[in-house]
Amino acid sequence: MADKGKKFTIKPFRTYVQMDQQGASQIWNSLADAIDEIHNRNASSLSFEELYRNAYNLVLHKHGALLYEGVADKLSSHLLRTVERLARAEDGTLLEEVSHAWSEHRITMVMVRDILMYMDRTYVQQNRHRRPVYELGLHLFRVTVWEHDRVQPRVTELLLRAIASERAGLLTDDRTLLKSNLGMLLELGSADGSNVYERDFESLFLGTTQEFYRLESLDYLSRNTASDYVTKARSRIEEERNRAAALGLPPTTEAPLGNIVETELIERHARTLVAMENSGFAALLRDETKLGELADMYDLFVRVPGSVDHLRDALAERVKSDGRGLVSDQERGAADPPAFVRGVLRMRERYGLVVERAFRGEKKAARRLKESFEDFLNADARAASCLAVYVDELLRSGLKGADEPAVNAELNKVIVVFRYLSDKDVFEAFYKQHLARRLLGGRSVSDEAERAMVSQLKAECGYQFTSKLEGMFNDMRISRDTRDAYKQHKKTLAQAGAAGASIGRGGDAGSSKGNAGAGAGATSSSSVSSTSPSAQQAKPVDIEVDVLTAGYWPSQNVPSCTLPPSVTAAVSRFQDFYLQKHTGRKLSWQTSTGTAELRATFGSSPDKLRRHDLSVSTYQMCILILFNDSPKLTLRQIRTATGVPDAELRRHLISLCTPRHRILRKGSKGKAIAGDDDTFAFNPDYSSKYKRVRVPLVSMKETGGASSALGAGAGGDGAAGLASAAAGGGAAGAGGAVPANVEEDRRHLVEAAVVRIMKARKALHHNDLIAEASRQLSVRFVPSPQFVKKRIESLIEREYLERDDGDRRVYVYVA
């Protein structure tokens, strides 16, 4: 509540007096004089409060049009005097004069705007076709000053000339003048919605920039190396970026300017920079020391993402070219399988470093690198077989003495190459063969390394891929227990007597162990050339046997050879022992894979005898034992007596006739065996500086025969032995063809996958079925659509599937 003592005063109403035209003119004249003073920079004597009140009164009394039009006329008159001065200015001072005139005009307009603020808020708002005072001043400057035919063309030309001088490396005027003039154009355009900056400068500026860099890039590239050009281009791009910032160019100009520079310097010459002889990207890839230059070129190209494809293409072509060179060397025999894989690993390390450093670890480049390796490695099955041989070499001797980190590092490299293979089942088949040799021969560097490799494969392809490999390790563990039990059994059944022939313990070629298909062996001190059959029965033969599950191990249906009687007796004893413990099982003996130790006596006279322990294969043992009864035999006689297949018989005989290990003398000249009547005789003059001599097998090439790839599965319900690999020391299937048994397995796998899919889906279109089957099988191999189609046709013939009556390309599962 108001205080009761407060008094209110009521004043009389003041009548409103309308300002007449004469009064309005007088007020406008005072304002016009004030604007002149502001133009002349004599504003210090003016009362802005009074000027604001005068403008306020004019608008209030409905004389806003007089005020607005008067201001426009006054500003135009001042700008006409300004443009006359600028039109007479010399080119050398024109930019400075224009910059000064623009600066002065902006100051004037700010002061005039403050005086006429009320007019902007009321009169201009009520008359939408009128511009605010400040924008009016800028508009009048544009149409009066800038668009004068002696100002705009000259200023534009001077601006472009100054920028061109900078690009040419010449000293130019202060950049603030350029920035001021360009800022003027931008502000003039934004004030009245005109495109004065874009029309009078930007389009010309971008056009001259494009032409400049088009000519310069062509000239520089014709006279310099690609690396020099890259350095120059990077410098130019940085210069343009700095210049745009220094001149205050708007983003709408910076973006197209950058695109033009990058297009002319990079995109237009991308192919040339890649293909230039001796200095292009493709040439630099051949030099391992040019990673820095490669990275510089990538950093330049990455500004234009589409251009990087040229670099990726060059990398892919380089990798494919080097890869094809490795394949060619392997085909010509210039490089063995391990050398081929080592070459691939060197390539992977080298070009992996290129992707990591030069391509900055770009995922697209890494993918192209992977695809390039896959391209030449999967041209045929060669790489899979070579990788298996390389792993065999590593696990036999290459990792000897290596600690766990070193072993894992080497195996990781193997897995990198393994991932590139599409024929993983071919690798598995060859790897299984070599693993069998190592396990049965005891030639692995360590069980830990073997299991680490299997673990890597399991992590990569799943448990199904390695289930048989793990089964092989389990068989070896069980076989050790079986041998220990048999030794204990023999102690209780020891018999006296000396054996006539010296036969070693059966096993894989060169090993001291046997398998359930390798036969048995014994040891004798008698000479091969003099021991009699009666003496051979004096002492039982000692054998060591590995019992192997048929489904786990690679095997061949090779008929068993005719073993000496003492060995046959030893085999029978073990078989009786084993089958007593494991009823219902069947042992299938693989005599093609065993080894034996023979104690042989050489020399012509009794006082100069030389005894050697010969480590030979089971086949060689059977051959040599024959010469205890006859000093000379023909090929036909040996074949009849031993039952060894002809190709293997020739191979094993030639191995016994080599210059280094000439235990037998061949009747014919040359390496090859002439025919069935070619003779072989025991060589009593053989000598060696070693007491124990291992007789290696020659390769099938040296016998004139062809090496078989992988054997078919051996029969047997419970256990079976291991089939020997065909050519000693080489990679079977090195010609690149998929082994026949792998091809057969693929047919079964494809059919099983198709049936499994159709059983779940019931009905499926042809293309969808092929795609799904290929996806499921990709972990082992990538079947071609034609291959899958043939298996589908086979399933239709066997009534597993049928075609839909409405659409012949739809298959229906037959329950």
Side-chain angles (χ1 to χ4, degrees):
M1 296 179 63
D3 296 338
K4 293 181 179 180
K6 189 173 181 180
K7 297 180 179 180
F8 292 94
T9 303
I10 301 175
K11 295 182 179 181
F13 180 73
R14 298 172 65 180
T15 59
Y16 176 75
V17 180
Q18 177 67 39
M19 182 184 297
D20 59 10
Q21 187 66 35
Q22 183 179 359
S25 298
Q26 289 177 353
I27 293 176
W28 160 244
N29 289 334
S30 67
L31 286 173
D33 292 340
I35 292 174
D36 289 337
E37 291 300 319
I38 291 173
H39 267 291
N40 296 329
R41 296 294 176 264
N42 293 325
S44 58
S45 60
L46 301 176
S47 172
F48 279 85
E49 182 181 358
E50 180 181 350
L51 295 173
Y52 179 86
R53 189 183 307 114
N54 288 338
Y56 172 84
N57 287 331
L58 284 176
V59 176
L60 184 65
H61 290 279
K62 308 302 181 183
H63 294 288
L66 171 67
L67 178 60
Y68 189 88
E69 292 170 1
V71 170
D73 291 341
K74 180 59 70 174
L75 293 175
S76 296
S77 63
H78 282 288
L79 290 174
L80 285 172
R81 290 194 294 272
T82 299
V83 76
E84 289 175 0
R85 185 180 74 255
L86 294 177
R88 294 192 301 269
E90 298 292 334
D91 287 349
T93 61
L94 181 59
L95 291 179
E96 185 176 359
E97 292 281 350
V98 170
S99 176
H100 178 72
W102 168 247
S103 177
E104 291 295 313
H105 181 68
R106 289 179 68 247
I107 294 172
T108 298
M109 291 313 303
V110 169
M111 299 176 74
V112 171
R113 179 188 61 190
D114 291 343
I115 294 171
L116 304 179
M117 190 179 299
Y118 185 73
M119 182 182 72
D120 279 347
R121 289 205 304 262
T122 56
Y123 176 77
V124 173
Q125 292 296 325
Q126 296 167 4
N127 297 269
R128 294 296 184 181
H129 63 284
R130 302 287 194 180
R131 293 184 174 90
V133 171
Y134 187 81
E135 293 179 5
L136 173 65
L138 299 189
H139 171 73
L140 293 174
F141 189 92
R142 178 178 67 81
V143 298
T144 305
V145 177
W146 174 251
E147 293 184 354
H148 193 278
D149 58 4
R150 287 282 297 163
V151 176
Q152 182 268 321
R154 295 168 63 203
V155 171
T156 301
E157 178 63 26
L158 289 171
L159 289 173
L160 296 176
R161 192 185 303 167
I163 293 173
S165 297
E166 277 196 13
R167 288 171 177 162
L170 303 177
L171 294 176
T172 60
D173 296 333
D174 191 349
R175 278 182 172 177
T176 54
L177 283 180
L178 305 181
K179 184 177 182 180
S180 174
N181 280 271
L182 292 173
M184 173 191 72
L185 296 181
L186 288 168
E187 193 167 354
L188 290 178
S190 63
D192 58 2
S194 64
N195 59 345
V196 59
Y197 168 80
E198 292 81 1
R199 180 195 67 202
D200 296 337
F201 175 76
E202 186 184 65
S203 59
L204 293 172
F205 169 65
L206 295 179
T208 56
T209 299
Q210 183 174 20
E211 182 66 13
F212 173 80
Y213 284 115
R214 184 183 69 82
L215 296 175
E216 183 186 64
S217 60
L218 286 171
D219 178 67
Y220 196 86
L221 193 58
S222 66
R223 296 184 290 105
N224 295 274
T225 65
S227 297
D228 292 339
Y229 179 87
V230 168
T231 303
K232 179 71 172 179
R234 293 176 63 186
S235 173
R236 280 301 196 186
I237 292 172
E238 187 65 19
E239 283 178 16
E240 289 297 331
R241 189 183 66 81
N242 293 336
R243 183 179 297 111
L247 298 183
L249 298 181
T252 54
T253 300
E254 281 193 75
L257 174 63
N259 290 338
I260 286 173
V261 175
E262 290 169 356
T263 298
E264 294 300 326
L265 295 182
I266 305 172
E267 186 174 7
R268 192 178 296 278
H269 303 293
R271 291 182 181 275
T272 304
L273 289 171
V274 169
M276 282 183 70
E277 188 177 358
N278 299 326
S279 65
F281 190 85
L284 295 176
L285 283 172
R286 294 194 290 267
D287 192 339
E288 298 182 22
T289 64
K290 301 295 185 180
L291 279 178
E293 295 179 25
L294 292 172
D296 289 342
M297 195 170 293
Y298 173 80
D299 291 340
L300 179 68
F301 276 48
V302 80
R303 296 174 180 270
V304 183
S307 298
V308 184
D309 286 337
H310 299 299
L311 302 184
R312 300 187 195 109
D313 291 343
L315 173 65
E317 188 55 39
R318 181 74 260 155
V319 172
K320 292 176 184 177
S321 177
D322 289 355
R324 287 191 291 267
L326 290 177
V327 172
S328 177
D329 289 345
Q330 214 280 323
E331 284 178 344
R332 292 185 289 104
D336 57 8
F340 171 79
V341 177
R342 282 191 288 270
V344 173
L345 290 174
R346 283 194 297 271
M347 282 180 58
R348 178 61 182 82
E349 182 179 4
R350 176 183 172 186
Y351 292 115
L353 199 61
V354 170
V355 170
E356 180 184 348
R357 295 188 181 178
F359 284 85
R360 311 302 185 189
E362 184 192 66
K363 290 184 178 180
K364 289 184 179 180
R367 185 166 61 251
R368 287 299 299 275
L369 180 67
K370 175 178 178 290
E371 292 170 354
S372 301
F373 273 95
E374 290 173 348
D375 179 79
F376 76 85
L377 287 175
N378 294 314
D380 52 33
R382 180 190 320 277
S385 62
C386 289
L387 183 62
V389 175
Y390 175 76
V391 176
D392 181 58
E393 182 185 80
L394 277 182
L395 296 176
R396 279 177 182 266
S397 58
L399 297 177
K400 188 174 292 184
D403 55 10
E404 184 176 352
V407 169
N408 290 333
E410 288 298 322
L411 296 183
N412 284 335
K413 292 179 182 178
V414 171
I415 293 299
V416 168
V417 179
F418 177 74
R419 290 192 185 108
Y420 294 143
L421 300 178
S422 61
D423 295 323
K424 292 181 173 62
D425 56 342
V426 176
F427 171 83
E428 179 198 15
F430 286 116
Y431 179 81
K432 187 191 296 185
Q433 241 192 354
H434 294 299
L435 175 63
R437 291 181 183 179
R438 293 194 300 274
L439 292 180
L440 294 173
R443 299 179 187 177
S444 296
V445 290
S446 69
D447 287 343
E448 290 76 13
E450 291 285 0
R451 294 187 180 276
M453 183 64 200
V454 173
S455 297
Q456 294 266 28
L457 294 173
K458 186 175 183 180
E460 195 66 28
C461 299
Y463 73 93
Q464 289 182 336
F465 189 86
T466 58
S467 59
K468 291 184 179 180
L469 303 180
E470 291 173 336
M472 294 167 69
F473 285 106
N474 190 51
D475 279 351
M476 295 305 298
R477 180 183 58 80
I478 295 174
S479 292
R480 284 194 293 270
D481 295 340
T482 301
R483 285 197 300 272
D484 292 340
Y486 185 56
K487 286 180 182 178
Q488 186 63 35
H489 172 74
K490 286 189 296 183
K491 286 182 180 179
T492 63
L493 301 175
Q495 298 178 359
S502 175
I503 306 173
R505 292 167 297 187
D508 188 34
S511 76
S512 60
K513 297 180 181 179
N515 58 61
T523 302
S524 170
S525 59
S526 302
S527 159
V528 170
S529 60
S530 61
T531 303
S532 65
S534 60
Q536 293 181 28
Q537 304 299 325
K539 183 179 179 182
V541 172
D542 189 24
I543 64 171
E544 288 187 356
V545 180
D546 290 313
V547 182
L548 314 174
T549 304
Y552 294 155
W553 298 75
S555 58
Q556 288 179 324
N557 287 326
V558 180
S560 179
C561 68
T562 303
L563 296 171
S566 58
V567 179
T568 303
V571 168
S572 298
R573 287 193 296 273
F574 176 83
Q575 189 160 313
D576 292 341
F577 161 78
Y578 185 83
L579 295 180
Q580 284 176 0
K581 286 193 170 186
H582 304 280
T583 59
R585 293 188 180 182
K586 178 183 178 182
L587 293 179
S588 176
W589 295 86
Q590 298 290 316
T591 55
S592 60
T593 59
T595 59
E597 289 184 1
L598 302 178
R599 179 159 298 169
T601 302
F602 300 90
S604 303
S605 58
D607 58 335
K608 293 184 178 180
L609 297 179
R610 300 179 303 280
R611 290 183 174 84
H612 295 284
D613 293 340
L614 305 180
S615 178
V616 295
S617 70
T618 303
Y619 283 167
Q620 288 174 326
M621 176 265 293
C622 294
I623 294 168
L624 291 174
I625 290 296
L626 298 177
F627 290 92
N628 279 335
D629 301 324
S630 178
K632 181 181 290 189
L633 295 167
T634 65
L635 175 64
R636 181 183 293 105
Q637 291 172 327
I638 296 174
R639 185 192 303 119
T640 302
T642 61
V644 176
D646 185 71
E648 287 296 326
L649 179 61
R650 291 171 181 266
R651 180 185 176 205
H652 285 72
L653 280 170
I654 291 176
S655 300
L656 294 168
C657 299
T658 60
R660 186 174 180 181
H661 300 288
R662 186 165 285 142
I663 299 170
L664 299 180
R665 288 174 176 167
K666 184 165 64 71
S668 61
K669 302 288 185 180
K671 291 184 178 180
I673 298 174
D676 286 352
D677 295 328
D678 205 349
T679 59
F680 297 87
F682 177 72
N683 178 21
D685 298 329
Y686 171 78
S687 65
S688 174
K689 63 180 179 180
Y690 299 106
K691 173 67 174 176
R692 188 174 185 277
V693 179
R694 178 177 175 271
V695 181
L697 291 176
V698 299
S699 67
M700 290 295 285
K701 293 179 182 179
E702 297 181 53
T703 67
S707 63
S708 60
L710 295 171
D717 297 327
L722 171 75
S724 67
V738 176
N741 69 317
V742 176
E743 191 75 20
E744 180 66 23
D745 289 343
R746 287 183 175 184
R747 286 194 285 270
H748 298 318
L749 288 170
V750 171
E751 290 178 356
V754 169
V755 171
R756 186 166 56 248
I757 294 167
M758 292 302 300
K759 190 174 183 179
R761 302 286 187 90
K762 305 304 180 186
L764 205 59
H765 191 275
H766 173 81
N767 292 340
D768 296 334
L769 178 57
I770 288 182
E772 180 62 19
S774 299
R775 186 190 66 79
Q776 291 190 13
L777 294 167
S778 61
V779 70
R780 296 183 64 85
F781 69 101
V782 180
S784 66
Q786 295 81 4
F787 188 78
V788 179
K789 184 178 179 181
K790 287 181 179 179
R791 303 330 309 157
I792 293 173
E793 295 292 343
S794 176
L795 290 172
I796 291 174
E797 291 174 3
R798 288 178 281 162
E799 298 183 353
Y800 285 91
L801 309 176
E802 64 181 11
R803 296 184 185 273
D804 186 75
D805 294 334
D807 186 350
R808 303 296 290 173
R809 291 184 62 79
V810 173
Y811 303 112
V812 179
Y813 177 70
V814 178

